[in-house]
């Protein structure tokens, strides 16, 4: 699954290697405890992201965060949160295998995404993430740089999203 | 496409990310068994369905996931404001004065 | 007005079609009528016609805020069928179908009723089971409906994508052969002409502002843009605007009004022999006599009176059509519009008396009012004339939302109906 889906001069679309991926629900007042458990100050505003080494976090809702880390760290993270649970109620769900990450990189990446994403992507700052739609599939869209995005899509919707990206990439390459 | 302001995300986003969830501020009766059939009917089925200003629930289902309320004109489909769930319906005269 | 016949057509053809007279006069309101009908769509005009013809009540006005047939009558996708699940609905819609059968002759006006068949596609096991249940139920009620295999469905409608590899493969279909389409405008015009001929006043561009009730609570008449008009009986048949008008009489309705959109393609040569509906992919399609593909789907999600609706729904509908009929992939769409449909909690109509003496209501037809036109009109006239519901519309009361005797076609149809 690690082979590039498609690439041409303007865009490279590739499936990313697996990561430890976790969904955290916690009261915003308890954010400090979660930050300590994860080892990274979690962002407080919806959309914002934070990263340190291979740890990354994005705030997706008023009490919801998406956490990324190296696969090897998953057990340590869940253990740290399990310890924090004694004093700080929260829910931490491992979703590493639920989703597949597709990276879209290149000067025309934003143009390609606009094929299926209803957001005004020009307004999306690098370093932020949002839950949104790609065609009819719910995805989390992460903007890493001006010309770099990641889409996290549920495994069962992956063929649909991947196929659409593939068609759109070929259309862009052909100048349509 | 409608552009809807999510009060939790504090961002104005496309309609596709949202699901409509019916008229707002309809409280479930505390003790349904004490109600007459007519009162129970009103709670279940009767809606104001106004031609004009409508307080309604929306859910940012493909976003932050939260339910919130909106005041929208049902003739022009224009949103006057959106506000967090649990807050009272805003006073329209104040909204218009503020514009 | 002229009686249409082969002879009159020939005579007028020979004189260059310059001597046709107007088909009905644009009436101004009198001070008082026996019955006022609010809303000059097919339902309202038809009710006026049957009041005059079958009940001898001719001192009737039909009052319309816009132009005749300009509401949902002129905005629907003209599908006619009666394959509803529950006994009450099947009988009601089949009554309408019986009246459709002879309507052109009865009105002396060609409404172009075409029994081309309505085919409902099953895309999954649930659809198959649900449609077969409908078919069995319909047969018990004497309503025509039968099951087609995928191959039979493909033979009946050749543009259909019958590939087993389709995203939503066709696993069979339910076909009602008596069902089809009619020319929607002609239905309003035909009823208007026939009603006017019997003395009914059709008053256009005259919004009803409110319904006035007397000291004893009974109906006294309606306030309109052209002044107060007195009547002891008022029947509201105003589709999406019903709840607003009923509110003025102090009756709160279990209705919500949603935009329902439709669109047509550029006209092409005859390619599509029937009506196809798919509840699973949310779309239905037929071809008009002008050659346009007529396409519709479910309502927009939010309450609105805008007569527009949003583009996401159109995109979703067209995507569904392209899925089922890849042959239409490159077709261009010409125009789209919306009508405001009044939807009840159980997706069945309300047709009968109200708590107010002298006030009658015909509403809640949701997305499926056109097919019911002659039946609804006939039964509304009966109810108004006799001050009690006909046995066919007796179950469709306002009271059912208090008693709980719902006719839950919402669960039966799941979507468009």
């Amino acid at each position: 699954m690690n082979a590039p889906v498609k690439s041409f001069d303007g865009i490279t679309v590739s499936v990313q290697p697996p990561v430890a991926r976790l969904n955290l629900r916690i009261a915003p007042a308890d954010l400090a405890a979660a930050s300590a458990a994860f080892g990274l100050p979690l962002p407080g505003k919806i959309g914002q992201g934070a990263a340190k080494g291979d740890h990354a976090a994005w705030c997706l809702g008023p009490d919801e965060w998406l956490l990324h880390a190296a696969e090897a760290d998953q057990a340590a993270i869940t253990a740290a949160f399990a310890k924090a649970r004694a004093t700080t109620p929260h829910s931490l769900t491992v979703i590493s295998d639920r989703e597949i990450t597709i990276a879209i990189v290149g000067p025309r990446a934003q143009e390609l995404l606009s094929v299926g994403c209803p957001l005004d992507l020009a307004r999306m700052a690098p370093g932020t993430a949002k839950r949104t739609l790609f065609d009819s599939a719910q995805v989390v869209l992460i903007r890493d740089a001006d010309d770099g995005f990641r889409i996290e899509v549920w495994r069962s919707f992956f063929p649909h999203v991947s196929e659409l990206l593939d068609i759109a990439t070929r259309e862009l390459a052909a100048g349509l | 496409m409608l552009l809807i302001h999510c009060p939790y995300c504090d961002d104005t986003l496309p309609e596709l990310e949202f699901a409509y969830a019916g008229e707002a501020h309809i409280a479930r009766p505390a003790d349904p068994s004490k109600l007459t059939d007519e009162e129970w009917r009103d709670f279940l089925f009767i809606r104001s369905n106004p031609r004009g200003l409508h307080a309604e629930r929306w859910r940012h289902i493909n976003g932050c996931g939260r339910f919130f309320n909106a005041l929208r004109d049902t003739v022009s489909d224009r949103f006057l404001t959106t506000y967090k769930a649990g807050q009272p319906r805003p006073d329209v005269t104040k909204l218009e004065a503020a514009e | 007005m002229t009686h249409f016949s082969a002879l009159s057509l020939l005579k007028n053809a020979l004189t260059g079609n310059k001597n046709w007279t107007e088909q009905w006069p644009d009436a101004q309101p009198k001070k008082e009528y026996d019955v006022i009908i609010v809303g000059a769509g097919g339902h309202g005009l038809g009710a006026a016609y049957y009041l005059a013809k079958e009940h001898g009540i001719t001192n009737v006005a039909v009052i319309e805020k816009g132009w005749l047939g300009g509401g949902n009558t002129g905005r629907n996708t003209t599908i006619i069928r009666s394959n509803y699940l529950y006994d009450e609905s099947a009988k009601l819609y089949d009554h309408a179908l019986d009246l459709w059968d002879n309507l052109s002759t009865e009105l002396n006006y060609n409404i172009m009723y075409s029994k081309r068949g309505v085919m409902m596609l099953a895309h999954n096991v649930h659809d198959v089971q649900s449609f077969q249940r409908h078919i069995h139920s319909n047969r018990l009620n004497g309503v025509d409906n039968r099951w087609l295999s995928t191959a039979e469905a493909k033979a009946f409608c050749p543009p259909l994508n019958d590939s087993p590899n389709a995203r939503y493969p066709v696993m069979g279909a339910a076909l009602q052969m008596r069902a089809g389409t009619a020319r929607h405008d002609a239905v309003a015009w035909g009823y208007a002409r026939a009603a006017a001929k019997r003395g009914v006043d059709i008053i256009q561009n005259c919004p009803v502002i409110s319904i006035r009730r007397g000291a004893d609570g009974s109906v006294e008449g309606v306030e309109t843009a052209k002044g107060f008009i007195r009547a002891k009986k008022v029947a509201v048949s105003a589709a999406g605007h019903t709840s607003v008008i009923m509110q003025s009489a102090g009756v709160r309705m279990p209705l919500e009004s949603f935009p329902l959109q439709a669109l047509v393609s550029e006209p092409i040569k005859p390619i599509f022999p029937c009506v196809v509906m798919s509840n699973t992919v949310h779309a239905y399609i037929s071809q008009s006599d002008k050659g346009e593909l007529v396409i519709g789907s479910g309502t927009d999600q939010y309450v609105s009176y805008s007569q527009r609706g949003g583009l996401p729904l159109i995109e979703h509908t067209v995507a569904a059509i392209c899925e089922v009929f890849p042959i239409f992939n490159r077709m261009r769409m010409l125009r789209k519009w919306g009508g405001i449909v009044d939807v009840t909690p159980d997706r069945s109509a309300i047709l009968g008396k109200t708590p107010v003496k002298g006030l009658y209501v015909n509403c809640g037809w949701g997305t499926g009012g056109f097919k019911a036109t002659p039946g609804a009109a006939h039964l509304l006239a009966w109810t108004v004339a006799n001050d009690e519901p006909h046995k066919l519309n007796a179950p469709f009361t306002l009271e059912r939302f208090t008693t709980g005797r719902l006719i839950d076609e919402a669960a039966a149809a799941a979507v468009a109906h």
Side-chain angles (χ1 to χ4, degrees):
Chain A
M1 292 285 263
N2 295 342
V5 175
K6 200 82 198 174
S7 110
F8 78 110
D9 289 348
I11 306 168
T12 304
V13 179
S14 58
V15 173
Q16 294 296 292
V19 291
R21 186 184 289 114
L22 303 108
N23 180 279
L24 170 69
R25 304 293 301 266
I26 192 167
D30 294 333
L31 203 55
S35 298
F38 189 52
L40 169 71
L42 299 180
K45 192 164 180 289
I46 297 174
Q48 275 180 348
K52 190 171 77 185
D54 49 22
H55 279 40
W58 296 271
C59 180
L60 297 182
D63 57 5
E64 183 180 4
W65 282 262
L66 171 66
L67 310 179
H68 274 197
E71 262 194 312
D73 295 341
Q74 184 170 302
I77 294 167
T78 51
F81 273 96
K83 218 166 137 192
R85 186 166 290 118
T87 50
T88 316
H90 66 270
S91 117
L92 184 79
T93 311
V94 176
I95 53 169
S96 303
D97 292 333
R98 191 182 71 178
E99 280 152 280
I100 295 177
T101 310
I102 305 169
I104 299 156
V105 180
R108 297 184 75 183
Q110 186 178 310
E111 197 180 341
L112 176 69
L113 276 171
S114 69
V115 164
C117 183
L119 288 176
D120 182 358
L121 294 166
R123 284 171 50 216
M124 191 175 182
T128 63
K130 288 188 63 53
R131 190 184 282 119
T132 183
L133 288 172
F134 188 84
D135 195 51
S136 47
Q138 194 179 80
V139 299
V140 172
L141 179 65
I142 304 167
R143 183 162 204 170
D144 295 311
D146 279 340
D147 61 355
F149 293 87
R150 273 178 284 167
I151 288 180
E152 302 220 311
V153 57
W154 284 36
R155 199 163 275 279
S156 54
F157 297 137
F158 173 79
H160 177 69
V161 170
S162 163
E163 171 87 11
L164 263 178
L165 285 170
D166 185 30
I167 293 169
T169 306
R170 277 187 277 127
E171 285 186 351
L172 285 184
L176 287 173
Chain B
M1 188 171 346
L2 300 179
L3 293 174
I4 303 173
H5 187 85
C6 172
Y8 293 95
C9 296
D10 193 23
D11 200 1
T12 303
L13 298 158
E15 175 189 347
L16 278 173
E17 288 193 356
F18 297 86
Y20 178 76
E23 187 171 354
H25 305 301
I26 295 175
R28 184 181 166 86
D31 188 357
S33 60
K34 287 226 171 72
L35 262 53
T36 63
D37 286 353
E38 284 72 21
E39 286 166 335
W40 187 239
R41 169 203 64 195
D42 287 358
F43 164 67
L44 284 181
F45 299 130
I46 306 288
R47 296 293 175 264
S48 56
N49 197 31
R51 194 181 148 80
L53 216 53
H54 189 226
E56 60 195 21
R57 302 193 311 157
W58 285 84
R59 186 180 180 204
H60 193 186
I61 190 165
N62 295 304
C64 71
R66 282 302 170 103
F67 280 93
F68 60 92
N69 293 331
L71 274 184
R72 183 177 54 91
D73 186 320
T74 61
V75 179
S76 64
D77 288 341
R78 177 172 159 258
F79 283 87
L80 269 78
T81 186
T82 56
Y83 50 104
K84 291 180 178 176
Q87 291 180 353
R89 180 177 167 143
D91 186 344
V92 187
T93 51
K94 281 185 191 147
L95 280 176
E96 281 167 352
E99 273 187 8
Chain C
M1 64 201 69
T2 327
H3 181 82
F4 294 128
S5 65
L7 194 67
S8 74
L9 289 179
L10 181 66
K11 204 174 89 188
N12 279 284
L14 291 174
T15 53
N17 282 318
K18 283 177 186 153
N19 298 324
W20 289 109
T21 53
E22 63 173 15
Q23 294 300 307
W24 60 85
D26 199 11
Q28 288 307 309
K30 293 191 284 190
K31 281 207 167 52
E32 182 166 4
Y33 291 94
D34 293 339
V35 177
I36 288 174
I37 295 168
V38 182
H43 288 219
L45 292 164
Y49 166 73
Y50 291 116
L51 272 174
K53 183 196 163 218
E54 303 206 340
H55 307 285
I57 303 172
T58 58
N59 187 22
V60 176
V62 187
I63 305 180
E64 168 59 44
K65 78 180 170 90
W67 65 96
L68 182 158
N72 292 351
T73 299
R75 293 166 184 269
N76 64 79
T77 49
T78 80
I79 297 170
I80 294 170
R81 62 184 180 88
S82 67
N83 50 352
Y84 282 74
L85 180 66
Y86 292 108
D87 295 354
E88 297 89 344
S89 317
K91 282 174 186 153
L92 182 71
Y93 287 102
D94 220 39
H95 176 60
L97 216 51
D98 288 341
L99 291 168
W100 278 115
D101 247 344
N102 198 33
L103 201 56
S104 289
T105 313
E106 169 158 3
L107 298 179
N108 180 231
Y109 203 86
N110 188 2
I111 57 151
M112 299 161 78
Y113 176 33
S114 158
K115 283 185 257 188
R116 58 185 69 181
V118 170
M119 188 165 80
M120 303 175 82
L121 301 178
H123 296 286
N124 50 47
V125 174
H126 169 78
D127 281 354
V128 172
Q129 292 171 343
S130 162
F131 289 173
Q132 292 194 341
R133 181 180 175 214
H134 272 71
I135 289 169
H136 294 314
S137 160
N138 286 161
R139 287 196 170 173
L140 289 172
N141 278 313
V143 173
D144 143 60
N145 200 359
R146 68 188 175 95
W147 179 253
L148 299 184
S149 67
T150 307
E152 288 169 326
K154 172 77 176 169
F156 188 69
C157 182
L160 187 66
N161 177 16
D162 63 345
S163 162
N165 300 321
R167 173 68 183 82
Y168 298 97
V170 175
M171 296 175 71
L175 172 66
Q176 186 177 30
M177 210 45 231
R178 260 184 100 196
T181 61
R183 173 93 165 93
H184 52 359
D185 295 326
V187 176
W189 297 336
Y191 273 128
R193 177 173 171 274
K197 192 174 173 186
R198 291 174 187 266
V200 171
D201 278 357
I202 298 161
I203 301 159
Q204 300 181 74
N205 299 308
C206 179
V208 167
I209 297 157
S210 64
I211 293 167
R212 191 198 283 182
R213 292 170 63 181
D216 66 345
S218 61
V219 163
E220 278 190 340
V222 296
E223 301 282 359
T224 75
K226 295 183 179 176
F228 178 68
I229 310 172
R230 191 171 292 279
K232 285 203 171 63
K233 288 183 174 182
V234 173
V236 176
S237 183
H241 294 83
T242 300
S243 62
V244 176
I245 293 171
M246 294 298 284
Q247 183 92 46
S248 76
V251 181
R252 296 186 69 205
M253 299 295 289
L255 291 174
E256 289 193 291
S257 299
F258 296 96
L260 177 65
Q261 302 184 67
L263 65 159
V264 292
S265 73
E266 57 195 335
I268 50 170
K269 289 194 172 172
I271 183 169
F272 208 77
C274 57
V275 180
V276 171
M277 308 182 66
S278 168
N279 289 356
T280 297
V281 303
H282 286 196
Y284 39 92
I285 180 168
S286 64
Q287 187 172 19
S288 76
D289 292 315
K290 282 189 285 184
E292 300 161 330
L293 297 176
V294 183
I295 297 167
S297 71
T299 66
D300 273 85
Q301 54 175 343
Y302 47 86
V303 163
S304 176
Y305 291 81
S306 66
Q307 292 191 324
R308 269 197 309 273
L311 219 45
L313 199 95
I314 293 290
E315 193 181 347
H316 174 79
T317 307
V318 171
I321 291 295
C322 291
E323 194 69 55
V324 183
F325 303 102
I327 191 176
F328 298 140
N329 241 318
R330 310 294 290 263
M331 293 268 310
R332 276 169 291 202
M333 296 298 136
L334 274 193
R335 51 180 200 281
K336 70 134 189 137
W337 62 91
I340 303 304
V341 299
D342 44 332
V343 175
T344 58
D346 63 358
R347 303 297 187 273
S348 288
I350 300 167
L351 174 45
K353 297 174 70 172
T354 70
V356 177
K357 188 171 183 297
L359 183 62
Y360 307 86
V361 71
N362 167 46
C363 65
W365 293 96
T367 60
F370 178 72
K371 66 175 78 72
T373 302
H378 186 250
L379 297 170
L380 179 60
W382 206 96
T383 305
V384 171
N386 295 291
D387 195 34
E388 63 175 19
H390 187 277
K391 69 176 194 305
L392 285 177
N393 64 308
F396 293 85
T397 57
L398 197 47
E399 285 80 51
R400 74 177 187 270
F401 298 99
T402 313
T403 61
R405 290 198 68 86
L406 304 181
I407 304 162
D408 201 355
E409 293 291 343
V415 67
H417 74 104

